[in-house]
Amino acid sequence: MRNYKQYKIEGPNSIWQMYRTISFFKVAYQFIIIECSRICPSVKVKHFLYTKCLKMKLGKHTSFAYKAMPDLMFPENITIGDNCIIGYNATLLCHEYLVDEYRIGEINIGNHVLIGANAIILPGVTIGDHAKVGAGCVVTKDVPAGALCYGNPMQIK
């Protein structure tokens, strides 16, 4: 079960209204940091930018591969343990803007976790220690420690 807060809205869709929930300048700043980091070849520089500039909570030796995408709106809601790999073009979403509501949730990833290429982690998800998320998996619920999850729809083994 995902753990997120849900906010109903009235009027135009939630993306049209997003700057009522977050500052345009905060998003612009985070956009610059994230886009520069996505193409940066140094995992040490990415780690520094994500922890110091975006306030993400990253453990020692956690690495983001080329083009990996942390949440643009609420990166401070991402916590990742030690010695993890976030694969090529993986996306970590702490928000979902829908037509008549929006949702915000934390992402908590344990130690020694592998997130495969092009995986998508949705808001409010916890992934346990030593878990593996297969390439292209859409993680829609919590993943227990040591588990392998894969596919869309997600399956846990």
Side-chain angles (χ1 to χ4, degrees):
M1 187 70 173
R2 291 169 41 201
N3 183 20
Y4 56 78
K5 290 185 180 173
Q6 188 173 353
Y7 303 91
K8 294 286 185 189
I9 62 161
E10 292 184 21
N13 70 67
S14 59
I15 292 178
W16 195 259
Q17 301 182 50
M18 76 177 158
Y19 295 119
R20 292 181 185 174
T21 62
I22 186 167
S23 161
F24 170 83
F25 298 105
K26 179 181 178 186
V27 174
Y29 169 77
Q30 291 173 169
F31 170 82
I32 292 166
I33 299 299
I34 289 170
E35 286 302 314
C36 290
S37 298
R38 289 184 75 202
I39 60 172
C40 177
S42 169
V43 294
K44 290 180 182 180
V45 171
K46 288 181 194 189
H47 196 281
F48 175 81
L49 290 171
Y50 288 160
T51 56
K52 301 302 181 196
C53 298
L54 300 182
K55 307 297 185 226
M56 291 170 57
K57 295 163 273 314
L58 304 180
K60 289 173 46 176
H61 307 294
T62 286
S63 302
F64 281 75
Y66 178 68
K67 294 280 189 166
M69 182 69 180
D71 190 85
L72 181 61
M73 306 295 181
F74 304 98
E76 67 276 10
N77 288 350
I78 297 172
T79 302
I80 304 174
D82 296 333
N83 202 37
C84 295
I85 295 175
I86 311 302
Y88 173 85
N89 212 35
T91 303
L92 308 177
L93 292 173
C94 295
H95 75 279
E96 290 179 303
Y97 287 114
L98 307 171
V99 174
D100 56 358
E101 68 181 63
Y102 65 96
R103 302 170 184 166
I104 299 172
E106 295 183 2
I107 292 176
N108 293 294
I109 298 174
N111 299 308
H112 305 280
V113 172
L114 170 67
I115 307 293
N118 293 303
I120 300 172
I121 314 301
L122 294 180
V125 166
T126 296
I127 300 173
D129 295 342
H130 299 277
K132 292 175 180 59
V133 175
C137 182
V138 179
V139 180
T140 58
K141 59 186 174 183
D142 293 349
V143 177
L148 166 67
C149 70
Y150 56 94
N152 183 14
M154 183 177 105
Q155 300 176 43
I156 297 178
K157 183 176 179 185

